[in-house]
Amino acid sequence: MDKLQTYLTKAQDALKNFYTKKGRKGVVGIAAISLGLLYLQYQIRKHNGWLQKKSVRDEHIFITGGASGIGRNMALRFAKLGAKISIVDINEIALDKVIKEINSQFGDKTATGTVCDVSDPKSVKNAIQLCVNFHMKTIDILINNAGVVSGKQILNNTEESICRSININTTAHHWTVREVLRDMIQNKHGHIVTIASIAGWVGVRGLADYCASKFGAVGFDESLRFELRATKSNVKTTCICPYFINTGMFDGAKSKFPLLFPILSENYASQRIVNAVLQEETVVIMPIILNFAIMVKAIFPTSIYDNMMEFFGVSESMDHFKGRTQSS
Ligand SMILES: NC(=O)c1ccc[n+]([C@@H]2O[C@H](COP(=O)([O-])OP(=O)(O)OC[C@H]3O[C@@H](n4cnc5c(N)ncnc54)[C@H](O)[C@@H]3O)[C@@H](O)[C@H]2O)c1
């Protein structure tokens, strides 16, 4: 009883103090620290995949460009979680190989796929129809992952290669989404994942066509999200914006401060994306520190942002770019 009395007196004092300048400062300070700690623990849990996750067992997951790199890696991870996998790619040999790999590990009819050029709407339509017929199920999760990079500066690039980047990395997202969205809305269930890039937020020397295409992909995802929100749709979206990943696509690209901005491993990036899908995250920038660049760009004058990007070597990161070779 005595203890309760003391506690009530203390609470009364604190409230009285709230009306003094010192008291207010104390309360605001404690509230700010508590909010900061709450945010930090949420970020740590999210980053490590410790938030509540949805099940993808028996879900039909359609992955473009899934014959290699993070697409292949994600396909294997989702298959392990019990999903039915469809993969489309232009690389027939690698595609057959990954389908066989998944089916031998997780059961005969776990994965299917077909050769498809995602920049061709007819090819996309046919491929989706084939996969839906195979699994006898409309698509639950679409992962727009297929991508290309030229790595050429504007005047050294060709018309063909510039159009290819935009068509595959951005326009193709319209073709796939337009094929699956009606069913998802009707089923009140679905998830559209955009594999964009941090190059969809910051410009880089030597990546004009790639950055234009990835800024487009980020914009596509955001517009889609707002369309879905306006109708209170149950269909989810996730936009993934990674820094360089060691899949071979960006071979030769360099990070000036690898401790701050590490080149991500294929396994880490794929696991992080799978967790982001299962946790239904909306936008993922990785590594997390790159949110800082986006914040500086939004708040400070352009000259400060430009100098910062040059200091951190972002503008020179493509100077030794080689890209994918036969061996990578
Ligand atoms: N590797 C990185 O550093 C990095 C960084 C940020 C974002 N990304 C993005 O991640 C995605 C996957 O990249 P990755 O690193 O796994 O590269 P990757 O080259 O291993 O995979 C890309 C796949 O897309 C396929 N593809 C290309 N054109 C296609 C087309 N027209 N139709 C169908 N398939 C096609 C390729 O055959 C390949 O299998 C891409 O969208 C890429 O832009 C990669």
Side-chain angles (χ1 to χ4, degrees), residues 64-72 88-91 94 116-120 144-149 164 168-169 173 195-199 210 214 240-250 263 266 324:
T64 70
S68 71
I70 55 171
R72 173 187 161 276
V88 294
D89 206 289
I90 38 162
N91 184 338
C116 160
D117 177 355
V118 290
S119 63
D120 172 4
N144 275 320
N145 166 75
V148 287
V149 60
R164 185 166 172 259
I168 296 172
N169 297 356
H173 294 209
I195 306 295
S197 167
I198 191 62
Y210 187 77
K214 292 296 184 181
I240 305 287
C241 305
Y243 185 56
F244 297 126
I245 310 168
N246 69 356
T247 56
M249 184 185 198
F250 275 91
I263 305 252
E266 182 187 306
R324 190 177 284 293

Side-chain angles (χ1 to χ4, degrees), residues 157-173:
N157 216 338
T158 62
E159 273 177 31
E160 195 200 353
S161 138
I162 292 166
C163 291
R164 185 166 172 259
S165 297
I166 310 277
N167 287 340
I168 296 172
N169 297 356
T170 322
T171 318
H173 294 209

Side-chain angles (χ1 to χ4, degrees), residues 231-277:
T231 54
K232 301 209 175 350
S233 167
N234 294 333
V235 178
K236 309 288 178 207
T237 63
T238 296
C239 184
I240 305 287
C241 305
Y243 185 56
F244 297 126
I245 310 168
N246 69 356
T247 56
M249 184 185 198
F250 275 91
D251 264 5
K254 291 247 163 10
S255 171
K256 187 172 171 188
F257 296 102
L259 280 180
L260 267 184
F261 308 109
I263 305 252
L264 307 170
S265 79
E266 182 187 306
N267 273 329
Y268 166 79
S270 308
Q271 182 61 63
R272 180 70 188 91
I273 301 171
V274 169
N275 284 344
V277 173

